[in-house]
Every structure is written in C-alpha cells, then in structure tokens.
Amino acid sequence: MPQCLNSWTDAAGAAQGKNVPTDPADPRLLGAVAIVLALLVAAIRRHRNRRMLRSLRQRGERLKMALWATGEHYWEYDVGSRVVRLLLVEPDAHGLSDVMHEREVPVEELIHPEDIAGVERAITDCIQGHTRSVVADARVLLDEGEPVWTRARGRVVRRSPQGAALRLAGTARDVSRSRQAERERRIAAQVLHSMDEAVSVVDANFNFISVNRAFTRITGYTAEETLGRSAALLDSDQHDAAFYRHMRATLQRQGQWKGEMWQRRKDGEEFLCRLVCSAVAGASPGEAQYVTVLSDVTREKRAEEELLYLANFDTLTNLPNRAMLSERLSRAIVRARRHGGRIGLLFLDLDRFKDVNDSLGHAAGDRILRAAARRLQQTLGAEHTVARLGGDEFTVVLEDLESAAQAERTAREIIMAFEAPLEIDGHQEIAISPSIGISLYPEHGQVPTELIKRADTAMYQAKAAGRRTFMRYDDAMDVATRTRATLSGALRKVLDRGELRLAYQPRMSLADSRITGVEALLRWSSDEHGEVAPADFIPLAEESGLILEIGEWVLREACLMLGRWQQHGLDPTLAVSINVSALQLQRGDFPQVVRQVLQDTGVAPGSLELELTESMLMANAGQTAARLQAFRDLGVPLAIDDFGTGYSSLAYLKRLPLSTVKIDKTFVDDVSTDPDDAAITSTIITMAHSLGLKVIAEGVETDAQVRFLASHGCDEIQGFWLAAPMDGHACLSFIRNWQPRPARAAAGAP
Ligand code: C2E
Ligand code: MG
Ligand code: MG
C-alpha cells in the first residue's frame, strides 16, 4: 500500500479497533442479547469498515488513474526532515496498466544543484505565507539517469496547532518536452528578429499578421503601422494590377511564389527585392496564412550592373572598351555579310602622348584622354561606335561604308578636328594630334581581331610617315611590322654587343665663323639589320625603357670624347650637346647621373648641353621648370630642340630655365623660298633674343639659307652646309683644320 494513502487507511484502522460497551440487566438474557447485539454491531461495523475500505481503495485507484492519465506524480515534502516522498505512477511494460512506486529522497539529492536554490525559495515563500502555493521548475535527478525538467505545484497540507507548516504536498510533471519546444520557439523568434531578410506573415486576405525587425528596417513601416493592413501597402507602380493578381493566384494554387519584384518603401522610394512567399502548412483554406521572406537586392543589382559596365566600358572615358568593341564589331560583320556591306575600322593613337603623360603627370594625361574621347565623339556623332582600347588608343567602327575613300575622309576629318587644341580643366590647352590606321571589311579581315590588328599595323605606318596623318592597310605593312618586332628584339642586346656609337655634327657661330660645339648623334650598326636610323630605333628604345641605359651611355661617351679632344688641345669653350628623352628627364635621379658623369670625365658643366624636345616641355610649366632647374643649378645649359614642331609658345619657354633654341629644319628648309617660313623663322629669332636665348638653326644646307639666317641675326648654324655628322676622329680633325669657307663670305656676316 503506498505510503501516501496511509492517512486514509490509518483512519479506517483506528475505527475498526474500537469496542462498544454492553448492558448487564439479565445476566443470561442480557448475555445472549449482548452477544447478539455485539455480533450485530460487529457485523454492522465490519460492513461499514468494508465499505470504507472499498471506498478508500476506490479513491486511491482514482487518484492513481488521475495521476497516470495526466502524467503527473504525487509528492510530499516534510518541512522538518527536508525529505521528499514521491509517488511515481508509470506505465507497465506493456503500456496498458500502471505501476506505482514510492521513493523518499532528501530534497538536496533530488534536485539538480543549480536549481536547488530556486526550489527552496519557492518552498520558503509558501511556508511563510508569501505565496499560496509552490510553483517551481527544476531538474530532478532520479535513478542515475539524465536530469529531467520537472514542474512541481503544491501547497501546505499539514500544520502544527500553532499554525507552522509541517508538510507540503502536490503534483509534479515532466516538462522537458514543452521546455524544449518553448526554447525552440524562443530561438525561432530570435532568429526571425535578427534576420537580415524582412519576414512578414499575412492572413488569407493578405492582411499583415506579424512582421519582423528587418521588415521595418527595409520598408520603413513599423509593426504597428502594418498589422491588420493589406500587403498592398508595399505595391509599386512598376507592376500593374494583373501582376499582383497573378502572384496571389499562384500562391493560392501552388502554395508558393518566388521571384524578383519592385516594392515601395514608406518614404515612397522603390526598391527591388527578391521574394519567397509560402503558404503556412496545415491551415484550412479559410484560415490560410502566408509567410513572406523578402531581401532588398537593389544594391546587389546595381553592383551587378556596375560589373557589367566595368566589363564593357572604359571607366575613364565612358567609351566602350575592347570587349564591347569586339562584340559590336562582330555584330556589324554579321550584318555586313548578310547585306554585302562594308565596314571601315579606324585605329587611332595620339601622337607623343607618352611624352605628354610623362611630363605633365598621369592626372593631366587622364584629362587629355577624356577630352580626346569627347572630341572624337563630337566629330563622329552617335551613330558610330567609338571605343577606347587602352592607353591612348581609340577605334572607330564605320558601318555601311560606301567606299574606302569614305573611311579616309572620316580619318581626315578626325585629324582636322584635332587641329584645335584640347581644353582640359577649362583653362589649360593642349595640342595633340592623332595618327590613324584604317582597315576594311571584307578586304582586310573577316573577324574583329584581324581587322583590329591590321588597322593597328596601318596606324604604325602613319606614325612612321611623320604622325598626324592616316594610312590605309596594305599587305606590305605586315612586313614593316615584323621588322619592327625583330628590331626591338635586337635592340635589347645592343649595349652588350657594343653596336652603338656616336657621330658628331659641328655647329658654327655666324658672327665669327668659329666652331662653337658639336651635337652627339646616336648611331646603331646592327649585325642583323645594318645601319638603323635613330628615328627608327629611338622610339622603340623609349617604349621599352632601354633608352635610360642607352641615354646614360651616350652621355658618358660624349663627355669622354670631349675630354679626349680637350687633352688634344682643343678649345676648352667648345661644347658637346646630347639629346635627352622624356623618360630620362622623368627619372628623378637624372641630374645626379649627369653630375656623376661630369665628375668622372672631368668635363666642365658649361661644356655639356642637353637638348630637350618641345613635346617634353609642354605645359605644366611648374613641374618641368623645377626639374630643369636642377640642371641649371649644376651649371649645365639646356636647349630646346626641333623648335616650331610642337605647340609651345616662346612666352611659355620664358618660364623655363633654357639658354638655347634650335629652330627645326622644316622651317629652315624653306626660309629662302617660302615667305611664311621666312617670317616665322625671323620672328623666332627676334623673340628668342628678346628672351635672352641663343638661336641655332638646324639642317642648314644652302648658301641662301646661311645668308638669310645671318642677315636675321641667327647666332649659330648646324647642318650639311657646314658638315654632316661624322665619327669622333673625323670630327676632331675637322675642327682642327677648320677654315672659314669662301661661301661664308658670300653669306656675309651680320
Ligand atoms: P635632332 O636632335 O634634331 O638631330 C638632328 C638631326 O638632323 C640628325 O638626324 C642629323 O643627322 C640631321 N641633320 C643634321 N643636319 C642636317 C641637314 O643639313 N640636312 C638633313 N637632312 N639632316 C640633317 P639623326 O642623326 O638621324 O637623328 C635624328 C633624331 O634622333 C635627332 O634629331 C634626335 O632627336 C634623335 N637622337 C639622335 N641621337 C639621340 C640620342 O643620343 N638620344 C636621343 N634621345 N635622341 C637622339
Ligand atoms: Mg638634337
Ligand atoms: Mg633637332
């Protein structure tokens, strides 16, 4: 018999043990009556007791059944001994009936150490009357098994006469499952709240039931503003009513809709979102609910578009890039093939852009490229594809070409359009010309790469032909290109093989017919290619950067030669000039290199002169001036070479620490025949003098030129009239044996 039922059985036992007193009047009769009565009373009592017992047993059974049915267990807690008595009802092995067993365990052993404090607090509160009942959740340890989360409820059931609580009793149940479920619910709620995606739940009428935090962040609507309102709140004008109808119908029919759509935020801004809307499982049709998970993909989409843009357009000029050009050209070829049409491809490269870029800096270079792109587009209009291939290379696709001549006309127009200087930053003007190569479909190629390659080849020929011009591709050009490639290869070995040497060309003062100096000119006698002209290999050396090494060799070689001449007793005022490339000037350490070479060779700084071309010095006067000043500080004079071929003005040159201007041969050539060239040359001389600059005329070949120059006050002349460039030995004897020529008399000194 379970202990907890003892109270009732105890009571029955006590009633059964008591005797009723008998009457003693007639001892026999009374004795008999008494016996009968006693038997009767006993029978009645037995009967009553049996009833009570049966009733008690029934109550116990009912309690057991109630406990079993509800999954509860019975407990009692003895306040004095702190022992818990448990009545555990568990199903038997077959799960059909139940077994009850009983335990007595000290409370500290029964409850998990981490939960004991909470349990004791609940008991104390109840004992002290702060609470009417005990409710406590705790892990219960039974039979060495895993602790089981249990919720106990109970109250005081026995008190001392003074009212102190002696015993508490109640029921307890296993709540591990519901606790787990609750925990999962809490986690789910937490996840929902911390999700980056907006989650909303709508009812069968598409009215909001709940939304999460991200929903508010993304749409701008708070939970209060949405609950009960229609999901149409977020509808965007970008979709028509039919779109939303279709979406809802799909959802109702298939239980899911996903895709990208535009929605509108509370502030009116439209945003693109990726959306998955699903019906909540298990709901009856009338109570359907839908969960929508929505992420804002506007940025992602924009990034995608940007990537697409980057892949197809040049960010500097916003023109299509090589990839886009290939695609457009391919399409144009397909169209042309279908209709028997022609396409012209112009390949355009800006002349001496590298020099400009090196001397003005890359930021200015970028602005020039942008301005050039604009100029090109303005000239060609929107109907032709203008693309930038990289660097200073542009291409133009001319579709529906009527004739080759039409492509050439367009090339000419582009060159003319570049006659006016480009304006960069609204104030600075830069003159830059393009060289253009032309290839034609179908004559020169069937695929984009072929057409581009051939137009490129033609462009190189245009450069070789003196720049600022165009050339149409022909097969002979490929040979020239191959030569160029092999030349570059050979050039790399030039210094090791000792294939370079210098030629010296003297110059003469017109005032006193004295040889004032020589210009050192580079010569390359290649084993494979024979004599290669500087105009052919110097651009290659500049492109590859080899010019730095070669330039230093020239500098040292020229100074060594001058030193030797001086040892041979040559006039110490005689100067040697060398040509300097933009790349050399660009290098910060060039002044140190010059100083070192002067020191090593013992040549006085005043006896060396550096010749720089106009394009190197163009614009950005501040930076160039600072760089040039380093040479002036060394005492090395600077000359501007080929003056008149670039676009610099004398006023601009005034800002640079120059000492000499060399008028280009192209002006000198026609001074005696072309009044324009004569006027230009005499103006240059006058203006240069007014700026304190010495003037040297280059490429002087005739007596007439000498006469003109002398009469206009030109200081010195250089050219075949005096002497062609020659090797050092020959030059030394030329200078030594120099006698003013009879023709000079005819020229007449000023
Ligand atoms: P540049 O500095 O203007 O040199 C003058 C060019 O004119 C030389 O051509 C010279 O031989 C040529 N010349 C001189 N007098 C006459 C004449 O009366 N008639 C004709 N028709 N030509 C004349 P070259 O030697 O072919 O040099 C061409 C250019 O190569 C030079 O022009 C210079 O810019 C460059 N160059 C030569 N040597 C070097 C060098 O060591 N370094 C660098 N960076 N460039 C050099
Ligand atoms: Mg020169
Ligand atoms: Mg020159």
Side-chain angles (χ1 to χ4, degrees), residues 250-298:
T250 310
L251 196 52
Q252 279 157 341
R253 208 175 45 248
Q254 299 173 357
Q256 198 180 51
W257 186 92
K258 56 178 160 185
E260 278 182 6
M261 67 187 284
W262 287 94
Q263 298 257 269
R264 194 178 29 219
R265 291 186 230 279
K266 189 179 172 188
D267 62 9
E269 194 197 339
E270 310 253 310
F271 67 103
L272 185 68
C273 63
R274 193 168 297 139
L275 192 138
V276 181
C277 191
S278 331
V280 176
S284 62
E287 322 171 308
Q289 290 187 352
Y290 303 98
V291 179
T292 305
V293 180
L294 165 165
S295 46
D296 184 348
V297 292
T298 322

Side-chain angles (χ1 to χ4, degrees), residues 505 519 522-523 538 579 581 641-642 665 698 701 720 725:
Q505 186 176 35
E519 179 177 2
L522 196 52
R523 296 291 175 259
I538 283 173
N579 296 283
S581 273
D641 204 353
D642 305 342
K665 180 175 179 305
E698 287 186 307
E701 293 178 348
F720 294 168

Side-chain angles (χ1 to χ4, degrees), residues 502-503 505 519-523 533-535 537-538 542 547 550-551 554-555 578-582 584 611 613 641-642 662 664-665 669 698-701 705 718-721 723-725:
L502 289 181
Q505 186 176 35
E519 179 177 2
L521 294 159
L522 196 52
R523 296 291 175 259
F537 74 83
I538 283 173
E542 285 173 338
I547 195 69
I550 294 176
V554 170
L555 171 69
I578 62 157
N579 296 283
V580 174
S581 273
Q584 287 172 279
E611 293 189 9
T613 57
D641 204 353
D642 305 342
K662 294 184 85 170
D664 192 68
K665 180 175 179 305
D669 277 348
E698 287 186 307
V700 178
E701 293 178 348
Q705 289 165 347
Q718 178 183 339
F720 294 168
W721 181 86

